[in-house]
């Protein structure tokens, strides 16, 4: 089966925006640790700072669905669940397994990629075929 062109465009746009958000998240997490900030607090900072940027960019650019209060509310809900999942996975990797944040943060990023794509696609109300 061939993959439709709009889906490939959406995935590539999502990946570009996602990489920018991932970079910002990891800078905040790793930089936070270097400044003595616990990863849980740094993760909350990521949630508020990067979250607003992510919604606006994904709604307007990635999925071309436009912004709405309903979409933003759904996005916040999916991001809240994502925050809980991120913290839980970071806890297991960092506190439970003793991995450094240099390993734990990028690992969480990889795990959360698929969840975030599907959740964001639903939240912004992407049109069929994307």
């Amino acid at each position: 089966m061939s993959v439709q062109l709009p889906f490939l465009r959406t995935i590539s746009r999502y990946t570009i925006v996602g990489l920018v958000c991932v970079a910002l998240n990891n800078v905040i997490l790793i930089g936070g640790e270097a400044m003595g900030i616990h990863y849980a607090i740094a993760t909350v900072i990521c949630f508020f700072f990067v979250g607003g940027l992510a919604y606006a960019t994904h709604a307007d650019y990635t999925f071309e669905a436009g912004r709405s209060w309903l979409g933003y509310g759904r996005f916040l809900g999916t991001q809240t669940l994502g925050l809980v999942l991120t913290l839980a996975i970071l806890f297991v990797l960092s506190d439970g397994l003793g991995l450094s944040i240099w390993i734990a943060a990028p690992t969480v990023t990889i795990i959360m990629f698929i969840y975030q794509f599907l959740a964001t696609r639903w939240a912004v109300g992407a049109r069929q075929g994307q």
Side-chain angles (χ1 to χ4, degrees):
M1 283 186 119
S2 66
V3 178
Q4 295 177 350
L5 186 58
F7 180 74
L8 291 177
R9 184 184 69 236
T10 300
I11 285 290
S12 63
R13 287 179 175 192
Y14 178 83
T15 301
I16 290 166
V17 173
L19 287 173
V20 170
C21 292
V22 162
L24 288 172
N25 275 305
N26 282 300
V27 165
I28 292 169
L29 285 172
I30 294 167
E33 183 187 51
M35 295 186 304
I37 300 171
H38 192 271
Y39 66 79
I41 293 174
T43 301
V44 172
I45 293 168
C46 290
F47 178 78
F48 288 107
F49 178 71
V50 180
L53 174 67
Y55 171 73
T57 308
H58 282 312
D60 292 343
Y61 174 69
T62 303
F63 297 104
E64 299 175 335
R67 294 179 234 170
S68 71
W69 287 111
L70 176 61
Y72 187 58
R74 289 190 304 210
F75 183 79
L76 288 178
T78 64
Q79 294 306 298
T80 300
L81 178 57
L83 175 62
V84 171
L85 291 171
T86 297
L87 287 172
I89 297 167
L90 277 173
F91 175 79
V92 168
L93 295 176
S94 184
D95 293 342
L97 298 176
L99 298 176
S100 77
I101 199 71
W102 283 92
I103 296 170
T107 301
V108 169
T109 298
I110 293 166
I111 292 169
M112 295 302 294
F113 183 86
I114 293 171
Y115 165 79
Q116 295 292 354
F117 174 78
L118 295 173
T120 301
R121 183 174 183 263
W122 170 78
V124 302
R127 295 184 304 267
Q128 292 294 331
Q130 293 185 333

